[in-house]
Amino acid sequence: MSEKSISAELKEKLFYERKNGRLKADDTVLSAADEYCEGYKQYLNLSKTEREAAKVSIKMAEEKGFKPFVIGESYSAGDKLYINNRGKTVAFIIVGTEPVEKGVNITAAHIDSPRLDLKPNPLYEELELALFKTHYYGGIRKYQWPTVPLALHGVFALRDGSVVEVSLGEADDEPKFVVNDLLPHLAAEQSKRTLSEGIKGEELNVLIGSHPFRDDKGSELVKLNILKLLNEKYGIVEEDFISAELELVPATKSCDIGFDRSMVGSYGQDDRVCAYPALTAILDIEKPARTAVVILADKEEIGSEGNTGLNSDFVRYVITDLAKMQGGDGTVALRNSRCLSADVNAGMDPTFQGPFERRNAALLNYGVVITKYTGARGKSSTNDASAEYVAEVRAMLDNADIIWQTAELGKVDAGGGGTVAMYIANLGVNVIDLGVPVLSMHAPFETTAKLDIYMCYRTMYEFMK
Ligand code: MN
Ligand code: MN
């Protein structure tokens, strides 16, 4: 007979104890998580850039009856709509039974990821090899990107208004591209550099060819041959790179990680690990009370700037247009709205525990992470969600048996970071950061846990249903 001691009983009542979600969840939940992540892994492979993620997401939504929103049309409860902002940011909407003016439920995630962008004049030849100059996009650790097979994705926009799409290096039989590095035998000087300077921005040059055009006269014959191939395949000339958006991303596929297959490894999980749950959650909803809105945004990794970033008026216009359609006021609607700003958090790494504060760090398999504030140096540049709103979200998670945890982004003054939360909060909306813990965030290959991803989906479904 095991009678609990008084202190054990009191502890159970008073302490906040954290527990591994894989011990809390039953087998049904764990296998649902496994199954859910099969779809997630496919989505990752089809959505290597924001343009591709937007396109794939719209296609999935159209299959579920979503149609383009037309200003001036009137819609009724249960109607499923989307607004495509330049093919890079998309809003998915299900009209609720309550008036929009009473507030909507927004889930926002971003679909851009760190990568190497081509410079406007990228192509050159050196030592009879052809290369591309790049300008990295987002916060990468530059030393991680050499000697990784890369694929080229994006578009050439031509003077006649046509757009030529490029995707090369994903299929097994397609060529890849690569940034090269020194051999260790000759790296004595380079090895004295600091890690952040180990590979410099202007050293992220991508090898793209070595075969010279067969003519013994003339110079730059390798470059000439590359342009000839590009002209045959895409109908472009060198000047067309100026109006192109071409992105080099890891050519690898998503996969399971671990003997127990409990984790997912892939490029681009920040933030498709939240975008996919947000999308699939709204696709699974029929007729919510409050209008449901999912925003999949571009440009988060470079500060949410530009007309496809969320530091623009895009969200304001989406909500205002929806309110107007019912003769309501957009500002009132925004003030009554609430939002999950869905983005990844840093999972505490067993090998690199230094920058984390254990009591307030996210752990893999401990569930979806709620983050009251992000920021750096004394909470600067963050949406600090109000206690009342955090309580509302906590209650929702517990009532739905969702496994969750709370975390900051690392130790005080260890660094820090931001999300789209503060831009949506600026509109008067109640916002909290929420997402999935990631290991090796922003690396060419990031790791997440399946249970956390599934709990992220369940949270978003519960929030918007
Ligand atoms: Mn992110
Ligand atoms: Mn990021």
Side-chain angles (χ1 to χ4, degrees):
M1 162 161 175
S2 65
E3 191 118 321
K4 271 186 199 156
S5 69
I6 297 173
S7 66
E9 252 176 51
L10 250 187
K11 264 189 185 168
E12 199 171 294
K13 187 178 160 203
L14 298 179
F15 277 23
Y16 170 54
E17 295 284 7
R18 308 176 71 187
K19 193 176 172 189
N20 189 313
R22 295 191 76 91
L23 295 174
K24 277 191 195 173
D26 61 30
D27 288 348
T28 334
V29 173
L30 294 177
S31 44
D34 289 347
E35 200 185 318
Y36 180 77
C37 287
E38 291 305 304
Y40 170 54
K41 286 185 287 177
Q42 278 187 25
Y43 181 84
L44 285 169
N45 293 342
L46 296 171
S47 314
K48 292 270 182 108
T49 66
E50 62 285 337
R51 284 179 191 265
E52 290 174 0
K55 201 181 226 180
V56 167
S57 302
I58 288 172
K59 188 165 171 271
M60 288 167 67
E62 282 177 338
E63 282 162 11
K64 290 272 191 160
F66 283 72
K67 296 194 164 56
F69 173 81
V70 181
I71 291 180
E73 295 264 312
S74 77
Y75 297 100
S76 42
D79 280 352
K80 298 174 175 181
L81 309 162
Y82 68 85
I83 300 171
N84 179 351
N85 181 5
R86 296 169 171 84
K88 298 178 186 177
T89 289
V90 191
F92 298 92
I93 300 144
I94 304 181
V95 181
T97 51
E98 288 177 10
V100 168
E101 212 180 60
K102 286 199 167 173
V104 306
N105 292 333
I106 306 167
T107 305
H110 68 91
I111 49 177
D112 61 318
S113 295
R115 61 189 189 237
L116 306 179
D117 283 355
L118 293 200
K119 289 191 180 191
N121 192 16
L123 180 55
Y124 71 103
E125 177 174 335
E126 190 74 46
L127 303 178
E128 290 162 79
L129 297 173
L131 299 107
F132 278 148
K133 293 297 293 180
T134 66
H135 193 144
Y136 64 94
Y137 173 97
I140 64 165
R141 305 192 73 191
K142 295 186 272 290
Y143 74 87
Q144 293 175 338
W145 289 72
T147 68
V148 171
L150 300 169
L152 184 68
H153 293 247
V155 296
F156 286 102
L158 304 180
R159 273 180 294 214
D160 65 4
S162 63
V163 173
V164 183
E165 290 190 18
V166 176
S167 172
L168 190 61
E170 292 296 340
D172 288 344
D173 61 348
E174 285 178 352
K176 324 276 187 252
F177 309 95
V178 68
V179 173
N180 287 291
D181 196 359
L182 267 180
L183 62 169
H185 318 66
L186 297 179
E189 275 307 308
Q190 187 198 28
S191 299
K192 289 178 194 157
R193 297 182 189 176
T194 60
L195 196 55
S196 67
E197 288 278 298
I199 295 290
K200 298 177 184 174
E202 292 293 354
E203 292 169 345
L204 291 168
N205 302 320
V206 183
L207 186 60
I208 58 164
S210 71
H211 178 73
F213 183 73
R214 306 269 283 199
D215 184 346
D216 46 15
K217 292 186 283 288
S219 59
E220 297 188 287
L221 294 176
V222 178
K223 172 178 164 176
L224 179 64
N225 189 58
I226 293 288
L227 278 169
K228 183 172 167 284
L229 291 172
L230 290 175
N231 183 264
E232 284 163 7
K233 192 168 167 74
Y234 303 111
I236 62 113
V237 296
E238 189 177 12
E239 195 183 332
D240 293 323
F241 279 105
I242 293 170
S243 54
E245 282 175 6
L246 293 163
E247 308 170 3
L248 285 147
V249 298
T252 47
K253 299 267 182 286
S254 61
C255 61
D256 289 342
I257 296 284
F259 287 114
D260 55 16
R261 295 181 169 263
S262 59
M263 295 167 284
V264 174
S266 175
Y267 164 71
Q269 298 205 68
D270 174 8
D271 184 32
R272 291 166 200 134
V273 75
C274 296
Y276 181 76
L279 176 70
T280 48
I282 200 167
L283 297 191
D284 286 346
I285 289 168
E286 281 309 324
K287 196 189 277 186
R290 284 159 71 97
T291 294
V293 179
V294 164
I295 310 270
L296 302 186
D298 180 31
K299 296 286 183 283
E300 194 279 338
E301 294 296 356
I302 56 167
S304 295
E305 305 295 350
N307 60 10
T308 55
L310 289 198
N311 192 10
S312 70
D313 277 331
F314 179 67
V315 177
R316 184 200 305 275
Y317 291 144
V318 167
I319 308 303
T320 303
D321 288 344
L322 289 171
K324 262 195 205 159
M325 150 192 107
Q326 300 174 340
D329 184 311
T331 313
V332 176
L334 281 164
R335 219 174 285 143
N336 289 331
S337 292
R338 43 180 216 150
C339 172
L340 299 179
S341 168
D343 208 341
V344 294
N345 201 313
M348 189 162 176
D349 189 310
T351 309
F352 302 103
Q353 299 187 22
F356 296 89
E357 189 267 290
R358 200 174 263 277
R359 286 171 201 81
N360 290 282
L363 297 174
L364 259 61
N365 286 322
Y366 275 61
V368 65
V369 190
I370 60 174
T371 301
K372 190 173 182 298
Y373 50 85
T374 55
R377 300 171 311 281
K379 289 192 177 183
S380 85
S381 297
T382 181
N383 158 64
D384 192 350
S386 74
E388 290 86 343
Y389 186 49
V390 180
E392 189 181 321
V393 172
R394 251 180 81 193
M396 175 192 81
L397 294 166
D398 286 339
N399 290 337
D401 281 327
I402 291 169
I403 297 166
W404 62 278
Q405 56 184 324
T406 188
E408 290 195 47
L409 184 61
K411 274 181 178 161
V412 176
D413 293 339
T419 65
V420 300
M422 58 181 173
Y423 305 115
I424 298 174
N426 286 346
L427 302 171
V429 177
N430 259 336
V431 188
I432 188 167
D433 276 295
L434 176 143
V436 175
V438 178
L439 300 179
S440 307
M441 193 196 296
H442 285 202
F445 193 79
E446 305 170 309
T447 302
T448 54
K450 290 181 178 177
L451 183 69
D452 301 333
I453 300 168
Y454 182 57
M455 289 299 151
C456 186
Y457 159 81
R458 288 208 47 221
T459 303
M460 290 157 168
Y461 178 83
E462 205 61 36
F463 180 74
M464 295 187 290
K465 73 167 193 214

